[in-house]
Amino acid sequence: MAPRSEQRRTRAIALAAIAAAGALAACGPKVVAWPRTPPPERPERLADFDPQPLVARSLERAVVVHPPFRDNRCGSCHVSARGGGMLLASTERLCDGCHAEDVRRERPHAGARACLGCHSRHVSTAPGRIAGPAARMCRRCHDAAARKLVRAHQGYPVDAARCTRCHDPHGRRADGGLRAHVHRPARRCSNCHVASSEPAPLALIRPERETCGRCHPHADPRAEVPFEHAAFGAGCSVCHEPHASDRPHLLVAAEGAVCGGCHPEIAARARAGPPHPPAATGNCHACHSPHGAERPMLLVAGAPDLCTSCHARWHEGEDRAPSGRDNDRCVYCHDPHGSGKAGLLRRDPRVVRR
């Protein structure tokens, strides 16, 4: 058994590493940049220290982990391969090395250059590794009760709102720092919400489906097709942002992520490889109608027409003519999303030929 002094020393090293690697607070201890010759390492302190348990504990409690920290690549940012607090360069320069394309804007947000003002260094319980709730982070610089903000939001309360649903936190793409695509009715809140003087000012004037249907009557499949998407019945905001988004059709996320959130088993098959290209790229609407359809599975067309719109009729011709059933229903042999087998076959080719 190790001497007590050795145990205390090991515990002190571990605690120091935990403090440096990442409290989830918005502003942790200031990290010193070391752009010049690094100080000598202290092998007597680090030789026996294994950072893997620290990383494992962080992964257990965190939702989002910075990839270099997750993969134990501390040397990507720190002077020492084991971390230790000293940075290779300023935080802005280090962050730009990987995220320049993600945050570059024509008119940058004033706080966008201070990355650690909003993001956690290593782990976070929020998407984007935000160091705290978005509303709280924004309120540190923006007073929701300020006259300018109250007027911009037409008197509606936004102190508890998630500002980044409408505004780009890194810079201005549109007036007011709004996202790339702004829902036209959202420019006047009273188009959909009760008056700002009401006790519940953010309540809708009508149910959500009826509210959206006033401008998008053809998007509602209720009276036109027999098969309706269950998500559509749950409300348009399940898939679409009501105010603004960086994605076409105001989607809350990339199409593949939106669909995969309710269909994880299909997303898993698409990742198994070799995948069907529409499924792999998240182009789900190439085969499925997002709201409703005349066919089961919300298919936009029937087989084989749907499949042969992209694929030549492989099974036609004198030398390859299977039964009519196989030609009518390609999915008897092929998985349309992914199967992990060549040709998207559901079974081993030797079994299929029998």
Side-chain angles (χ1 to χ4, degrees):
M1 185 173 179
R4 186 170 303 230
S5 59
E6 183 67 21
Q7 293 178 359
R8 285 199 299 267
R9 187 172 68 85
T10 302
R11 182 180 180 186
I13 294 173
L15 291 174
I18 292 173
L24 300 179
C27 300
K30 184 177 181 181
V31 179
V32 179
W34 197 272
R36 298 179 294 277
T37 304
E41 292 189 3
R42 299 182 180 177
E44 71 278 3
R45 293 185 58 190
L46 295 174
D48 299 326
F49 176 65
D50 182 8
Q52 285 302 320
L54 166 63
V55 175
R57 289 196 297 273
S58 298
L59 289 173
E60 289 176 1
R61 69 173 184 264
V63 174
V64 185
V65 183
H66 196 202
F69 179 70
R70 178 195 62 204
D71 301 335
N72 196 26
R73 293 185 286 110
C74 305
S76 299
C77 301
H78 295 277
V79 170
S80 169
R82 296 178 182 271
M86 296 295 186
L87 293 177
L88 294 170
S90 66
T91 54
E92 289 74 20
R93 184 177 299 178
L94 288 172
C95 296
D96 279 350
C98 296
H99 304 286
E101 292 298 327
D102 299 329
V103 301
R104 185 173 293 144
R105 300 290 184 269
E106 292 182 4
R107 298 183 181 179
H109 184 201
R113 300 305 303 166
C115 309
L116 297 183
C118 298
H119 297 275
S120 177
R121 297 173 177 83
H122 301 107
V123 294
S124 172
T125 55
R129 266 192 7 268
I130 299 297
R136 189 181 71 191
M137 302 299 296
C138 297
R139 282 202 304 270
R140 296 192 309 177
C141 299
H142 303 281
D143 183 5
R147 181 179 301 177
K148 183 178 180 180
L149 263 69
V150 172
R151 185 169 59 250
H153 295 96
Q154 302 166 32
Y156 285 83
V158 294
D159 54 318
R162 184 154 60 93
C163 311
T164 53
R165 293 188 66 175
C166 295
H167 300 275
D168 189 322
H170 294 119
R172 181 174 298 180
R173 286 177 172 167
D175 292 341
L178 292 170
R179 295 285 184 180
H181 303 281
V182 179
H183 195 197
R184 188 177 301 174
R187 295 188 180 277
R188 187 172 183 83
C189 307
S190 58
N191 284 331
C192 301
H193 297 279
V194 299
S196 60
S197 57
E198 293 289 333
L202 298 180
L204 293 175
I205 299 174
R206 303 169 186 81
E208 183 176 302
R209 187 162 181 168
E210 184 180 345
T211 298
C212 300
R214 294 176 64 205
C215 297
H216 307 282
H218 299 295
D220 193 332
R222 180 161 34 194
E224 299 182 5
V225 294
F227 297 98
E228 179 181 293
H229 193 188
F232 188 89
C236 308
S237 59
V238 172
C239 299
H240 301 277
E241 288 284 3
H243 302 116
S245 171
D246 285 337
R247 303 166 191 86
H249 308 294
L250 298 174
L251 288 175
V252 297
E255 183 177 330
V258 173
C259 299
C262 293
H263 305 283
E265 72 290 348
I266 294 177
R269 293 210 304 273
R271 292 192 299 267
H276 194 197
T281 58
N283 189 20
C284 308
H285 74 276
C287 300
H288 302 277
S289 175
H291 296 148
E294 296 180 353
R295 299 171 182 82
M297 304 296 180
L298 302 178
L299 291 174
V300 298
D305 295 331
L306 177 59
C307 301
T308 55
S309 64
C310 294
H311 303 281
R313 296 177 179 268
W314 294 102
H315 295 293
E316 289 187 352
E318 297 180 358
D319 57 341
R320 39 175 143 176
S323 66
R325 184 191 73 171
D326 290 335
N327 195 43
D328 290 340
R329 295 293 304 276
C330 311
V331 294
Y332 282 141
C333 296
H334 303 275
D335 189 309
H337 300 108
S339 66
K341 300 179 179 64
L344 301 176
L345 289 172
R346 293 183 180 275
R347 295 170 290 277
D348 187 275
R350 291 170 295 181
V351 177
V352 174
R353 292 194 186 100
R354 292 177 183 173

